[in-house]
Amino acid sequence: MRIGELARRTAVSERSLRYYEQQGLLTSYRTPGGHRAYAEGAVDRVIRIQELYAAGLCSSKIAALLPCIRDADGGPSPEATPRLVSDLWEQRERLNRMIAELARAREVLDGVIEAASGEAASGEPVDGPLARAREDRDP
């Protein structure tokens, strides 16, 4: 398949696909006319690359990891090494810390929203410092 079709099928820009090739994450071959072409398996490969980027891995980690993953099901291949598994556990822990930090930030934001709007998500009035300050200002 040509680069445009791969981009459409994976919702990834052609520019990103070229970048993936430069980083050694994706391979193509050239048609007799000199155009890039990809095997059908490239769709699964690009989806897997996107998932790994979304998980916070950089391209060098992804390049090390891809040979150890089967694209179709994401399961491990025989090339997975104990060092790679250790690196992935570290990455998972980093993601867990980020998730916890985001959850705390969301709680703070929820509190500010409730206080600023003067009512809780339940619709009940909030008796917080901002609500009291607003009442003190109103004549």
Side-chain angles (χ1 to χ4, degrees), residues 74-90:
S77 76
E79 289 83 23
T81 64
R83 171 68 184 162
L84 180 64
V85 171
S86 174
D87 287 349
L88 293 174
W89 275 109
E90 288 175 20

PDB file of all heavy atoms in Angstrom, residues 74-90:
ATOM      1  N   GLY A  74       0.153  -7.659  20.115  1.00  0.00           N
ATOM      2  CA  GLY A  74       0.873  -6.936  21.149  1.00  0.00           C
ATOM      3  C   GLY A  74       1.569  -7.823  22.153  1.00  0.00           C
ATOM      4  O   GLY A  74       2.152  -7.335  23.103  1.00  0.00           O
ATOM      5  N   GLY A  75       1.505  -9.131  21.941  1.00  0.00           N
ATOM      6  CA  GLY A  75       2.151 -10.058  22.861  1.00  0.00           C
ATOM      7  C   GLY A  75       3.660 -10.065  22.689  1.00  0.00           C
ATOM      8  O   GLY A  75       4.185  -9.535  21.715  1.00  0.00           O
ATOM      9  N   PRO A  76       4.360 -10.652  23.644  1.00  0.00           N
ATOM     10  CA  PRO A  76       5.819 -10.663  23.559  1.00  0.00           C
ATOM     11  C   PRO A  76       6.317 -11.666  22.528  1.00  0.00           C
ATOM     12  O   PRO A  76       5.679 -12.673  22.264  1.00  0.00           O
ATOM     13  CB  PRO A  76       6.250 -11.086  24.963  1.00  0.00           C
ATOM     14  CG  PRO A  76       5.105 -11.879  25.482  1.00  0.00           C
ATOM     15  CD  PRO A  76       3.866 -11.274  24.857  1.00  0.00           C
ATOM     16  N   SER A  77       7.436 -11.348  21.929  1.00  0.00           N
ATOM     17  CA  SER A  77       8.091 -12.289  21.037  1.00  0.00           C
ATOM     18  C   SER A  77       9.284 -12.876  21.788  1.00  0.00           C
ATOM     19  O   SER A  77       9.635 -12.394  22.871  1.00  0.00           O
ATOM     20  CB  SER A  77       8.542 -11.586  19.757  1.00  0.00           C
ATOM     21  OG  SER A  77       9.696 -10.820  20.010  1.00  0.00           O
ATOM     22  N   PRO A  78       9.928 -13.882  21.229  1.00  0.00           N
ATOM     23  CA  PRO A  78      11.061 -14.498  21.930  1.00  0.00           C
ATOM     24  C   PRO A  78      12.238 -13.554  22.159  1.00  0.00           C
ATOM     25  O   PRO A  78      13.104 -13.829  22.972  1.00  0.00           O
ATOM     26  CB  PRO A  78      11.473 -15.643  21.003  1.00  0.00           C
ATOM     27  CG  PRO A  78      10.275 -15.923  20.163  1.00  0.00           C
ATOM     28  CD  PRO A  78       9.560 -14.607  20.024  1.00  0.00           C
ATOM     29  N   GLU A  79      12.272 -12.405  21.465  1.00  0.00           N
ATOM     30  CA  GLU A  79      13.396 -11.478  21.614  1.00  0.00           C
ATOM     31  C   GLU A  79      13.305 -10.605  22.860  1.00  0.00           C
ATOM     32  O   GLU A  79      14.217  -9.847  23.150  1.00  0.00           O
ATOM     33  CB  GLU A  79      13.516 -10.567  20.379  1.00  0.00           C
ATOM     34  CG  GLU A  79      14.002 -11.291  19.135  1.00  0.00           C
ATOM     35  CD  GLU A  79      12.876 -12.002  18.407  1.00  0.00           C
ATOM     36  OE1 GLU A  79      11.698 -11.607  18.584  1.00  0.00           O
ATOM     37  OE2 GLU A  79      13.156 -12.947  17.669  1.00  0.00           O
ATOM     38  N   ALA A  80      12.206 -10.662  23.600  1.00  0.00           N
ATOM     39  CA  ALA A  80      12.073  -9.839  24.802  1.00  0.00           C
ATOM     40  C   ALA A  80      13.157 -10.234  25.802  1.00  0.00           C
ATOM     41  O   ALA A  80      13.355 -11.404  26.083  1.00  0.00           O
ATOM     42  CB  ALA A  80      10.691 -10.009  25.421  1.00  0.00           C
ATOM     43  N   THR A  81      13.850  -9.255  26.341  1.00  0.00           N
ATOM     44  CA  THR A  81      14.947  -9.516  27.271  1.00  0.00           C
ATOM     45  C   THR A  81      14.541  -9.081  28.681  1.00  0.00           C
ATOM     46  O   THR A  81      13.677  -8.221  28.840  1.00  0.00           O
ATOM     47  CB  THR A  81      16.204  -8.725  26.870  1.00  0.00           C
ATOM     48  OG1 THR A  81      15.917  -7.330  26.989  1.00  0.00           O
ATOM     49  CG2 THR A  81      16.643  -9.061  25.453  1.00  0.00           C
ATOM     50  N   PRO A  82      15.173  -9.650  29.694  1.00  0.00           N
ATOM     51  CA  PRO A  82      14.882  -9.214  31.061  1.00  0.00           C
ATOM     52  C   PRO A  82      15.138  -7.714  31.248  1.00  0.00           C
ATOM     53  O   PRO A  82      14.400  -7.042  31.959  1.00  0.00           O
ATOM     54  CB  PRO A  82      15.836 -10.049  31.922  1.00  0.00           C
ATOM     55  CG  PRO A  82      16.090 -11.271  31.111  1.00  0.00           C
ATOM     56  CD  PRO A  82      16.074 -10.807  29.678  1.00  0.00           C
ATOM     57  N   ARG A  83      16.170  -7.174  30.618  1.00  0.00           N
ATOM     58  CA  ARG A  83      16.473  -5.742  30.735  1.00  0.00           C
ATOM     59  C   ARG A  83      15.328  -4.911  30.153  1.00  0.00           C
ATOM     60  O   ARG A  83      14.925  -3.906  30.734  1.00  0.00           O
ATOM     61  CB  ARG A  83      17.787  -5.426  30.008  1.00  0.00           C
ATOM     62  CG  ARG A  83      18.089  -3.971  29.875  1.00  0.00           C
ATOM     63  CD  ARG A  83      18.381  -3.349  31.211  1.00  0.00           C
ATOM     64  NE  ARG A  83      18.570  -1.921  31.012  1.00  0.00           N
ATOM     65  CZ  ARG A  83      18.504  -1.035  31.962  1.00  0.00           C
ATOM     66  NH1 ARG A  83      18.277  -1.411  33.189  1.00  0.00           N
ATOM     67  NH2 ARG A  83      18.683   0.220  31.703  1.00  0.00           N
ATOM     68  N   LEU A  84      14.811  -5.336  29.018  1.00  0.00           N
ATOM     69  CA  LEU A  84      13.709  -4.614  28.397  1.00  0.00           C
ATOM     70  C   LEU A  84      12.473  -4.672  29.293  1.00  0.00           C
ATOM     71  O   LEU A  84      11.801  -3.667  29.496  1.00  0.00           O
ATOM     72  CB  LEU A  84      13.387  -5.193  27.020  1.00  0.00           C
ATOM     73  CG  LEU A  84      12.246  -4.514  26.289  1.00  0.00           C
ATOM     74  CD1 LEU A  84      12.584  -3.063  25.977  1.00  0.00           C
ATOM     75  CD2 LEU A  84      11.928  -5.253  25.010  1.00  0.00           C
ATOM     76  N   VAL A  85      12.203  -5.819  29.856  1.00  0.00           N
ATOM     77  CA  VAL A  85      11.052  -5.956  30.753  1.00  0.00           C
ATOM     78  C   VAL A  85      11.224  -5.039  31.950  1.00  0.00           C
ATOM     79  O   VAL A  85      10.279  -4.361  32.369  1.00  0.00           O
ATOM     80  CB  VAL A  85      10.869  -7.430  31.185  1.00  0.00           C
ATOM     81  CG1 VAL A  85       9.819  -7.560  32.274  1.00  0.00           C
ATOM     82  CG2 VAL A  85      10.500  -8.287  29.979  1.00  0.00           C
ATOM     83  N   SER A  86      12.420  -4.953  32.484  1.00  0.00           N
ATOM     84  CA  SER A  86      12.696  -4.056  33.603  1.00  0.00           C
ATOM     85  C   SER A  86      12.454  -2.604  33.196  1.00  0.00           C
ATOM     86  O   SER A  86      11.837  -1.832  33.943  1.00  0.00           O
ATOM     87  CB  SER A  86      14.140  -4.248  34.069  1.00  0.00           C
ATOM     88  OG  SER A  86      14.466  -3.300  35.049  1.00  0.00           O
ATOM     89  N   ASP A  87      12.921  -2.219  32.017  1.00  0.00           N
ATOM     90  CA  ASP A  87      12.692  -0.857  31.514  1.00  0.00           C
ATOM     91  C   ASP A  87      11.201  -0.564  31.380  1.00  0.00           C
ATOM     92  O   ASP A  87      10.744   0.537  31.691  1.00  0.00           O
ATOM     93  CB  ASP A  87      13.369  -0.654  30.160  1.00  0.00           C
ATOM     94  CG  ASP A  87      14.871  -0.541  30.250  1.00  0.00           C
ATOM     95  OD1 ASP A  87      15.403  -0.411  31.373  1.00  0.00           O
ATOM     96  OD2 ASP A  87      15.523  -0.592  29.186  1.00  0.00           O
ATOM     97  N   LEU A  88      10.455  -1.547  30.917  1.00  0.00           N
ATOM     98  CA  LEU A  88       9.014  -1.347  30.744  1.00  0.00           C
ATOM     99  C   LEU A  88       8.306  -1.209  32.087  1.00  0.00           C
ATOM    100  O   LEU A  88       7.379  -0.413  32.219  1.00  0.00           O
ATOM    101  CB  LEU A  88       8.414  -2.490  29.921  1.00  0.00           C
ATOM    102  CG  LEU A  88       8.872  -2.520  28.469  1.00  0.00           C
ATOM    103  CD1 LEU A  88       8.344  -3.774  27.781  1.00  0.00           C
ATOM    104  CD2 LEU A  88       8.435  -1.271  27.731  1.00  0.00           C
ATOM    105  N   TRP A  89       8.745  -1.953  33.094  1.00  0.00           N
ATOM    106  CA  TRP A  89       8.166  -1.793  34.427  1.00  0.00           C
ATOM    107  C   TRP A  89       8.436  -0.384  34.960  1.00  0.00           C
ATOM    108  O   TRP A  89       7.571   0.234  35.577  1.00  0.00           O
ATOM    109  CB  TRP A  89       8.706  -2.847  35.393  1.00  0.00           C
ATOM    110  CG  TRP A  89       7.946  -4.134  35.333  1.00  0.00           C
ATOM    111  CD1 TRP A  89       8.382  -5.322  34.825  1.00  0.00           C
ATOM    112  CD2 TRP A  89       6.602  -4.355  35.768  1.00  0.00           C
ATOM    113  NE1 TRP A  89       7.388  -6.265  34.928  1.00  0.00           N
ATOM    114  CE2 TRP A  89       6.281  -5.700  35.499  1.00  0.00           C
ATOM    115  CE3 TRP A  89       5.636  -3.543  36.351  1.00  0.00           C
ATOM    116  CZ2 TRP A  89       5.049  -6.252  35.803  1.00  0.00           C
ATOM    117  CZ3 TRP A  89       4.402  -4.096  36.655  1.00  0.00           C
ATOM    118  CH2 TRP A  89       4.121  -5.432  36.376  1.00  0.00           C
ATOM    119  N   GLU A  90       9.653   0.114  34.720  1.00  0.00           N
ATOM    120  CA  GLU A  90       9.978   1.479  35.143  1.00  0.00           C
ATOM    121  C   GLU A  90       9.068   2.487  34.438  1.00  0.00           C
ATOM    122  O   GLU A  90       8.582   3.436  35.055  1.00  0.00           O
ATOM    123  CB  GLU A  90      11.440   1.792  34.838  1.00  0.00           C
ATOM    124  CG  GLU A  90      12.419   1.078  35.743  1.00  0.00           C
ATOM    125  CD  GLU A  90      13.867   1.312  35.333  1.00  0.00           C
ATOM    126  OE1 GLU A  90      14.152   2.293  34.606  1.00  0.00           O
ATOM    127  OE2 GLU A  90      14.723   0.504  35.739  1.00  0.00           O
TER     128      GLU A  90
END
